[in-house]
Amino acid sequence: MYVEVSIPIALFKTFTYLVPSKLRSQIFLGQSVLIPFNNKKIDGFITEINKTKKYSGKVLKIININKNCFLISNELWKTVNWVAKYYISPLNIVLNHTIQYQHKKKYIVPQIKHITITSIGIKIRDSIRYPSQKKILDYLYKYKDKKIDIRDLKNISSSYRNICKTLELNHFVDILLSNNIKGIMGDSNFDFKKNKNLLILSKSQKNVYSSLIKHFEINKDRPAFLGGPPGSGKTTLYTKIVENFLNKSKQIIILVPEISLIPQIYDKLNNMHPNQVGVWNSKMLQSEKSYVLSNIKNNQFKIIVGTRSSLYLPFNNLGIIIVDEEQEAAYKQDQSAPYYNARDVAIMRSQFSKSCILLVSSIPSIETYYQISRKKYVSFSLLKKYKENSNLDIKLVDMSNEKGFLSQILINEIKKRINRNEQIVILQNKRGSNSSGIQKVQSVLNKIFPELKILRYDKDTISSSNSYFDLINKFNNQEANILLGTQMIAKGIQFNNVSLVSIINADIGLYLPDFRSGERIFQLIYQFIGRAKHHSSLAIIQSFNTEEKYIKDACKQKVEENFKYILKERKEL
């Protein structure tokens, strides 16, 4: 038996190896193998299994296989190969990008010991003869309602580990070993209000939910689109859909375009389905990834919430893929090969796996809108607008007669909201400190409002995945008056006490040499306006081009009219 092996080099070729007889029954496509190559031992992927060799020269033997890797399902293997062919990228590079987890020899998850005082320990702590033991028991009694990391006791005694072993033998304390996982899958530092009650849908949500479930049962080969204005309850509805598929013992992948959107969805699902939900993104530590992979392997995690790369996780009983904010350009991998659009790959994986696909957005991409108009996709919509939800007012401000970054109306409204203990979210879609960059805007705000606490939310202020969650958590806990950010803050994050949202310069990006620039500006403004959730809210959109159609239509919420205009433009290209 011979196999073709792919290694991570940018060539459209594989290498032939002989499979030793003892390994032949364990070989499969997508498997990680250790091979000799150029006088080195390297990891590669099996891409073909043949009875005869393709290479006429001397063929070397596989050294070993990785017994820890996943059995790759046929549908996932087809998906990965489709990416390579459709996007004209070497399979070697695609495999290394998509299923690199196959090379993990073992899943190393750090452990942590927690210690608690027992009822026996509480009773006898006053009669303990040994001072160090008594100090530790007194400390544990003081914090008996908390989980204490055993390492916290080192300040009490340098030999705390031996003392704790003695206390455990006498049943005075309990020592528990658990996974030491950071971020939102550990002891969540992202403190959204939890709701463990069953999901309660409104009448309109129930109607759309029933229609979607019926569609998935009889017509799942056609992609479904779930639309509706910001705040209409799309996330709540698809969370109920997740529950439906979970009850059928199916696995679910939920894609989001930005890491910052993971916590809200994870938090909601994990409260409903404890210990069944994992997350996946590029910023995660290797120990966190090992934790997720081990839980997928033992079938503990049935739901994954993540960014692009989570699409290639080794689920073998996939029920539905949900692509939230499907219109976002962040779904495109364009920084390094392989270059692909995760939304389109999700559609293909759903077809290969015969699973369902649900695209979700308050405003669809023009491609999705076009497919809906051609009856290729089926559209479902929550029609309640946020204008009916609250007293939202939208003002388009001409900046040509204003001085500086902030219009007088914006300055006045900030003062008004602060006096009412309400919060403000401001968007400036440009990083940096020069000219009109976000750091320059922050300095201007600090000068005008020196007494206010301002949080900046952009890629320069976020160093790790936890930073995303910490910053938003602080703002939701009302530890700041103003959240200033780039386009990242326009995407699906919910703010309950925000009554004023503003875009400093809506023109940024409008005149880029990209035929999608107008469409993206329209989507950005439309979505961002929906971030105001207060019962009496105001959106101030500042622009030097107030007559520009994309900006004007977004402020007037003319979605259908704008899409028709964009399609007409596209046909002229």
Side-chain angles (χ1 to χ4, degrees), residues 259-296:
I259 296 173
S260 57
L261 298 181
I262 292 175
Q264 289 182 141
I265 299 169
Y266 170 83
D267 195 68
K268 196 167 195 173
L269 289 168
N270 194 50
N271 277 295
M272 291 187 62
H273 313 290
N275 304 315
Q276 297 186 71
V277 189
V279 304
W280 192 267
N281 64 73
S282 60
K283 297 268 187 183
M284 287 169 63
L285 301 173
Q286 285 304 314
S287 59
E288 293 177 279
K289 289 185 176 181
S290 290
Y291 175 70
V292 173
L293 291 168
S294 62
N295 278 282
I296 291 176

Side-chain angles (χ1 to χ4, degrees), residues 362-414:
S362 58
I363 180 166
S365 64
I366 194 66
E367 292 84 3
T368 296
Y369 175 82
Y370 180 65
Q371 296 293 1
I372 292 169
S373 68
R374 296 177 64 219
K375 310 298 183 185
K376 298 289 185 181
Y377 296 177
V378 182
S379 179
F380 302 86
S381 185
L382 294 165
L383 297 178
K384 186 165 77 170
K385 298 180 180 180
Y386 50 74
K387 275 198 172 182
E388 299 164 354
N389 233 1
S390 63
N391 299 318
L392 176 64
D393 189 17
I394 303 170
K395 293 187 183 298
L396 179 57
V397 179
D398 186 352
M399 294 296 290
S400 58
N401 297 318
E402 300 281 346
K403 294 181 180 179
F405 293 119
L406 309 182
S407 61
Q408 192 57 50
I409 185 174
L410 178 56
I411 294 171
N412 293 340
E413 288 297 334
I414 290 175

Side-chain angles (χ1 to χ4, degrees), residues 99-112:
I99 59 171
Q100 192 180 35
Y101 52 78
Q102 288 290 76
H103 292 325
K104 280 184 174 287
K105 303 298 187 289
K106 56 183 177 180
Y107 305 125
I108 301 173
V109 180
Q111 302 286 297
I112 187 171

Side-chain angles (χ1 to χ4, degrees), residues 154-206:
K154 65 184 177 182
N155 294 326
I156 297 175
S157 173
S158 58
S159 56
Y160 70 95
R161 291 187 185 275
N162 290 329
I163 296 172
C164 289
K165 283 181 182 178
T166 302
L167 292 172
E168 186 182 31
L169 286 172
N170 290 318
H171 306 291
F172 297 158
V173 300
D174 285 330
I175 298 175
L176 303 173
L177 190 66
S178 58
N179 293 320
N180 186 15
I181 300 301
K182 305 294 184 183
I184 61 172
M185 289 186 295
D187 289 329
S188 179
N189 57 2
F190 196 79
D191 191 26
F192 278 120
K193 187 176 181 181
K194 299 183 184 299
N195 180 7
K196 296 189 177 183
N197 298 326
L198 292 175
L199 284 171
I200 299 173
L201 301 182
S202 66
K203 184 178 179 181
S204 61
Q205 286 175 321
K206 285 179 182 177

Side-chain angles (χ1 to χ4, degrees), residues 342-374:
R343 178 198 62 204
D344 298 339
V345 177
I347 293 171
M348 293 309 300
R349 184 169 185 186
S350 73
Q351 291 179 4
F352 291 135
S353 62
K354 293 182 170 51
S355 59
C356 302
I357 181 82
L358 178 63
L359 308 178
V360 182
S361 177
S362 58
I363 180 166
S365 64
I366 194 66
E367 292 84 3
T368 296
Y369 175 82
Y370 180 65
Q371 296 293 1
I372 292 169
S373 68
R374 296 177 64 219

